[in-house]
């Protein structure tokens, strides 16, 4: 039987709120067994870019990462946020180890090709990007890897990478060695049947039910990329995807996506 | 026979010069066998502090690390500089893994006690600070640890720590498992008999010779802390301390300090 591994992803909202981040870290420390954390960015980098007079450029909700922006996001994500989370986890006796994709060559990305839009130093992942063996070794040493959303191309170039993509790529890469649960933590209780009602959490969704919910327009547009990402992870061998409130990971309220 | 391990320390001067840093990384990649790199800060953090209107405060040549300064130095040292060096080493096929002391709890420091001066969030190390077992495991996985000069106290607090101190503490901690060579790399060819003449490198210095050189005033005041640090490392089991030019680590010109 494969050992259980839980991969948690948290977004910028929690990182911007130190009380929430502290609470999340305490809740995460109560989760027994092997775990990995992937964290997004937060507003700090955007604020710093503004102070420095570097205008944040977004196209279709995605940041354009020029060289100056890459410098700043690397400082925030890999420096401030990552080390702060690692230190807080250590305080809770979780032996966290902060990683960018460059560290140990653990996630090698490719710079996004320029088509209609030049996203700059943005990294895309493929099925070969994650070094599952190194992660397995670190997990066997009872370390808890903590990923920021910075990767590299193996040619000396750091790359800004979507944190949801990192979480699902890490989960998929470890699915043959572990029974992997992928947890997307955000500011809602789960996938809601009624976006106005935070108690209307749908407890379980299979691929068939997802198609129905999508056809009926129940699942809001903003949730669709996360859901597609989640079902792709299930197809690739991840056991369960859990969508839950970051402050309630140890409470029963959540949505579980499963293969059938 | 213990395996050879080389611990290299580079300072801010190289980090501020991307051409020099790139060349150092290439030279380091030619060094066969187990190695660890410790890097100092560089001017970037001070420049950023100035842009943000945070006045750098120094007492007796040491930075006072208030909370805002700690944030910025963590971003630069653990974020920008550390990940940049790791990515450059990966480009040269060196499987580098960036670390702060918080990562894997590998260096636990204590906040410097407030006596005449309050240094703020400055971390001091002792004989128990470095987790030699974790470093040994990483080295056995053919990883090259790359340390920035940020540690933690185990209670959730990051601490700014002297990079020379980190290098010698890491070297001392591994001296029972490895034959450790500690390399202090800087912008001179070694310890000079005549500070005006960069060719006047003293090839070897024993503790007895050091006392004579110090008594005769041959060794310049600025070198004394580095020398004291070096001989303390030798006393604690480090095999050799090498003082050399960061651009010439593969050339024979250097000063070797040894126990006798």
């Amino acid at each position: 039987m494969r050992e259980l591994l839980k991969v948690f992803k948290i977004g910028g909202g929690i990182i911007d709120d130190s009380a929430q981040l502290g609470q999340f870290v305490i809740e995460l420390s109560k989760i027994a067994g092997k775990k990995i954390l992937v964290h997004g960015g937060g507003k700090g980098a955007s604020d710093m870019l503004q102070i420095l007079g570097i205008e944040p450029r977004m196209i279709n909700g995605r940041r354009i990462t020029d060289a100056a922006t890459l410098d700043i996001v690397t400082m925030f994500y890999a420096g401030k946020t990552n080390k702060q989370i690692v230190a807080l986890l250590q305080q809770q006796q979780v032996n966290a180890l902060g990683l960018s994709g460059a560290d140990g060559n653990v996630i090698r990305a490719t710079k996004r090709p320029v088509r209609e839009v030049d996203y700059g130093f943005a990294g895309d992942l493929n099925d070969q990007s994650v070094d599952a063996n190194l992660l397995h070794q670190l997990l066997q040493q009872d370390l808890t890897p903590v990923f920021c959303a910075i990767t590299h191309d193996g040619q000396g170039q750091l790359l800004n990478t979507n944190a949801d993509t990192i979480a699902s790529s890490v989960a998929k890469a470890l699915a043959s060695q572990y029974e992997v649960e992928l947890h997307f933590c955000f500011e809602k209780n789960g996938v809601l049947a009624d976006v106005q009602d935070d108690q209307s959490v749908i407890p379980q969704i299979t691929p068939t039910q997802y198609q129905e919910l999508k056809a009926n327009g129940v699942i809001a547009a903003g949730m669709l990329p996360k859901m597609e990402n989640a079902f792709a992870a299930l197809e690739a061998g991840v056991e369960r995807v859990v969508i839950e409130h970051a402050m309630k990971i140890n409470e029963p309220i959540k949505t579980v996506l499963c293969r059938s």
Side-chain angles (χ1 to χ4, degrees), chain A residues 197-214:
Chain A
D197 178 7
D198 209 33
Q199 299 309 309
S200 68
V201 174
I202 306 170
Q204 188 171 316
I205 307 177
T206 63
T208 316
Q209 290 167 328
Y210 171 57
Q211 294 308 325
E212 290 168 17
L213 289 165
K214 202 164 62 165

Side-chain angles (χ1 to χ4, degrees), chain A residues 4-8 179-183 238-240 242:
Chain A
L4 183 62
L5 167 68
K6 297 184 178 182
V7 178
F8 289 86
E179 180 189 329
V180 178
E181 255 183 37
L182 173 56
H183 291 246
V238 170
E239 204 62 32
R240 279 173 298 282
V242 180

Side-chain angles (χ1 to χ4, degrees), chain A residues 156-207:
Chain A
Q157 182 63 57
L158 296 167
L159 295 166
N160 191 11
T161 303
N162 181 276
D164 279 11
T165 306
I166 289 181
S168 61
S169 294
V170 164
K172 287 187 280 188
L174 287 159
S176 63
Q177 284 164 292
Y178 294 86
E179 180 189 329
V180 178
E181 255 183 37
L182 173 56
H183 291 246
F184 286 113
C185 306
F186 69 150
E187 70 291 347
K188 302 263 179 206
N189 284 332
V191 180
L192 304 177
D194 172 2
V195 283
Q196 305 299 323
D197 178 7
D198 209 33
Q199 299 309 309
S200 68
V201 174
I202 306 170
Q204 188 171 316
I205 307 177
T206 63

